[in-house]
Amino acid sequence: MGELFERVCAEATLFDAWRRVEHKGARGGIDQVTITVFRQRLNDNLEQLRADLCAGRYVPEPFQKIEIPKADDPGETRPLQMPTVRDKIAQEAVRSVIAPILEKTFADCSYAYRPGKGPQKAIRRVEHYLSTKKHWVADADIDRFFDTMDQRLTLEEVQKHITEPEIVRLLALWMKMGAVDTRGRWVDPVRGVAQGSVISPLLSNVYLTPFDAYLTQKGHALVRYADNFLLLAFSSEAAAQALEDARAFLQQRLRLRLNDHPRPIASLASGFVFLGIYFRGELRRIAHSKIDQMKAEIRRFWQRYASAPVPRLVTELNESILGWQRYYGMVQPHEQFQELDGYIAEGLARALATRMNIGATVRNTDLYEHPDAGTHFMR
């Protein structure tokens, strides 16, 4: 048994992994064992998992495949493959041991799923490049990235840094395990990694590290957040060349393709969007599409908590609001926050009126049309 795998199997590692899974409130998988149910026999469950891992007899359960609405396209859905709580703990234990090793190999231009990084720092990196007069950008994202990652190439990249066979075996098991959809049909994973699993974000950065290295070695100014990236240059021609270099490497080396973009090359003068922020000249605002998504989320919120007690309704609403404030507050979009103030306050007032049986019956669409600003709910 290798040193890293011994750490994975340690009681302390598995217990810490459990605590992180529990803290996230992760839902159960195909075995229908919830966090609450797993907790009832916690010590026995963790000891059985440890014993199975150490003996080499651990085999994950199939993923449960579900569909969730896409935030950027409410009419479309995104497939998620959910592991069981037990498998989440095993994946988290492995992730916690190998992530610090792999983290050292990642490029500085990569900002997603990494400690000390995140979208706000990615935006600041973009601002840095803009301050150096790189005012032309190529904006791109990878088509169905998690679904089309090559499993063999993924393992090859991991094995450049993690060679213990026990850990490689587990990673291969999780990548090759099939899923059962909501109709009970088996889905066999020919390619890709399960989006929704604990280990997939780490593997995604491993997979794209050669891409990051290739573009930066060619001198391109790259800012990547997961499968979305921006290339900044001094001219439109240089931005177009950078994009072509990126496209060729993804296709030829990583077997990935880019989504079609209606305007892949843009300038700071004409405006562009990255990670939900609209850049144009000195202006920084929340992108219009993100405002629409936030309003759609508010509509779903009122529907989801239509019968919830008022204190819970306000608590849940405030959590969403604080998240938006943290993310978008850096660009100080006061007018847009005021617009959302009115949108939220109108819906809240009508929800409270409905609970108190005041006024006529309210149609769902009435809650969101033509809101009046001025409550400062998001101050």
Side-chain angles (χ1 to χ4, degrees):
M1 184 184 298
E3 177 186 352
L4 295 179
F5 191 64
E6 282 188 3
R7 288 167 54 192
V8 168
C9 296
E11 291 181 9
T13 302
L14 291 172
F15 183 75
D16 288 344
W18 150 253
R19 293 300 297 269
R20 286 189 289 272
V21 171
E22 179 189 36
H23 179 72
K24 290 181 180 178
R27 60 177 290 170
I30 195 170
D31 62 359
Q32 298 183 346
V33 174
T34 63
I35 289 287
T36 301
V37 171
F38 194 92
R39 189 190 298 114
Q40 291 171 356
R41 299 183 65 249
L42 178 61
N43 292 335
D44 290 343
N45 287 333
L46 291 180
E47 177 54 32
Q48 185 63 58
L49 174 58
R50 191 192 68 79
D52 289 345
L53 286 168
C54 290
R57 61 174 178 260
Y58 166 83
V59 177
E61 295 285 347
F63 295 104
Q64 183 176 52
K65 186 177 181 181
I66 62 174
E67 302 282 340
I68 63 170
K70 284 187 176 182
D72 55 353
D73 190 349
E76 298 291 329
T77 60
R78 184 189 311 280
L80 291 182
Q81 299 183 63
M82 309 303 296
T84 64
V85 172
R86 178 175 183 267
D87 292 331
K88 282 184 171 78
I89 295 168
Q91 289 190 20
E92 175 57 27
V94 170
R95 188 209 63 78
S96 69
V97 170
I98 68 174
I101 299 170
L102 297 172
E103 175 67 27
K104 297 175 183 177
T105 71
F106 296 159
D108 190 48
C109 60
S110 166
Y111 286 87
Y113 318 127
R114 298 181 61 187
K117 291 285 192 173
Q120 292 184 325
K121 288 191 175 181
I123 294 298
R124 284 196 284 271
R125 183 69 169 266
V126 172
E127 292 285 15
H128 165 72
Y129 284 131
L130 292 174
S131 72
T132 65
K133 307 301 181 183
K134 292 183 177 179
H135 289 176
W136 286 88
V137 304
D139 179 18
D141 62 284
I142 301 170
D143 180 39
R144 298 177 58 243
F145 171 53
F146 284 92
D147 295 335
T148 57
M149 287 171 57
D150 186 283
Q151 295 177 356
R152 179 182 60 81
L153 290 178
T154 303
L155 283 178
E156 287 178 359
E157 289 299 324
V158 170
Q159 288 177 283
K160 291 178 181 179
H161 313 285
I162 306 293
T163 58
E164 291 186 12
E166 299 95 338
I167 290 180
V168 174
R169 171 184 172 273
L170 288 176
L171 296 176
L173 278 174
W174 290 322
M175 282 194 287
K176 297 179 183 303
M177 178 52 65
V180 177
D181 67 16
T182 53
R183 297 183 180 180
R185 297 173 300 189
W186 177 261
V187 181
D188 203 13
V190 178
R191 303 180 68 188
V193 299
Q195 190 171 3
S197 70
V198 174
I199 203 71
S200 59
L202 178 64
L203 294 180
S204 74
N205 274 333
V206 171
Y207 196 75
L208 287 177
T209 292
F211 170 77
D212 299 335
Y214 173 76
L215 290 181
T216 53
Q217 288 168 7
K218 288 183 72 70
H220 298 310
L222 169 67
V223 181
R224 181 176 65 80
Y225 194 88
D227 55 356
N228 189 10
F229 62 90
L230 204 66
L231 292 156
L232 299 95
F234 292 116
S235 67
S236 60
E237 294 80 9
Q241 181 59 57
L243 181 60
E244 185 53 38
D245 288 344
R247 189 190 312 276
F249 187 90
L250 288 170
Q251 290 179 347
Q252 296 169 15
R253 172 70 187 277
L254 298 181
R255 302 176 184 177
L256 300 171
R257 64 180 298 273
L258 295 177
N259 278 311
D260 294 330
H261 198 297
R263 194 167 65 104
I265 307 299
S267 70
L268 182 61
S270 62
F272 64 91
V273 174
F274 185 62
L275 298 182
I277 305 296
Y278 176 69
F279 298 76
R280 184 172 182 177
E282 298 296 322
L283 178 67
R284 304 291 183 268
R285 290 172 61 85
I286 305 173
H288 290 306
S289 60
K290 291 298 179 182
I291 292 290
D292 290 341
Q293 288 176 27
M294 292 158 80
K295 288 182 176 180
E297 185 174 335
I298 293 166
R299 289 196 295 271
R300 289 193 294 270
F301 174 87
W302 295 127
Q303 294 166 1
R304 188 163 58 246
Y305 294 101
S307 59
V310 172
R312 183 187 176 194
L313 185 151
V314 173
T315 298
E316 297 286 345
L317 181 59
N318 281 339
E319 287 184 6
S320 295
I321 292 169
L322 289 173
W324 294 334
Q325 284 180 319
R326 285 191 294 267
Y327 188 97
Y328 294 108
M330 64 184 297
V331 298
Q332 299 182 346
H334 300 303
E335 292 181 2
Q336 291 175 303
F337 276 175
Q338 286 179 350
E339 177 185 353
L340 290 168
D341 279 346
Y343 201 74
I344 293 169
E346 177 76 7
L348 181 59
R350 290 182 179 272
L352 294 175
T354 301
R355 282 168 170 74
M356 297 170 64
N357 294 319
I358 296 176
T361 301
V362 180
R363 296 182 299 116
N364 282 343
T365 53
D366 289 338
L367 297 179
Y368 320 111
E369 293 175 353
H370 311 297
D372 296 323
T375 64
H376 305 289
F377 201 84
M378 298 184 65
R379 178 180 293 172

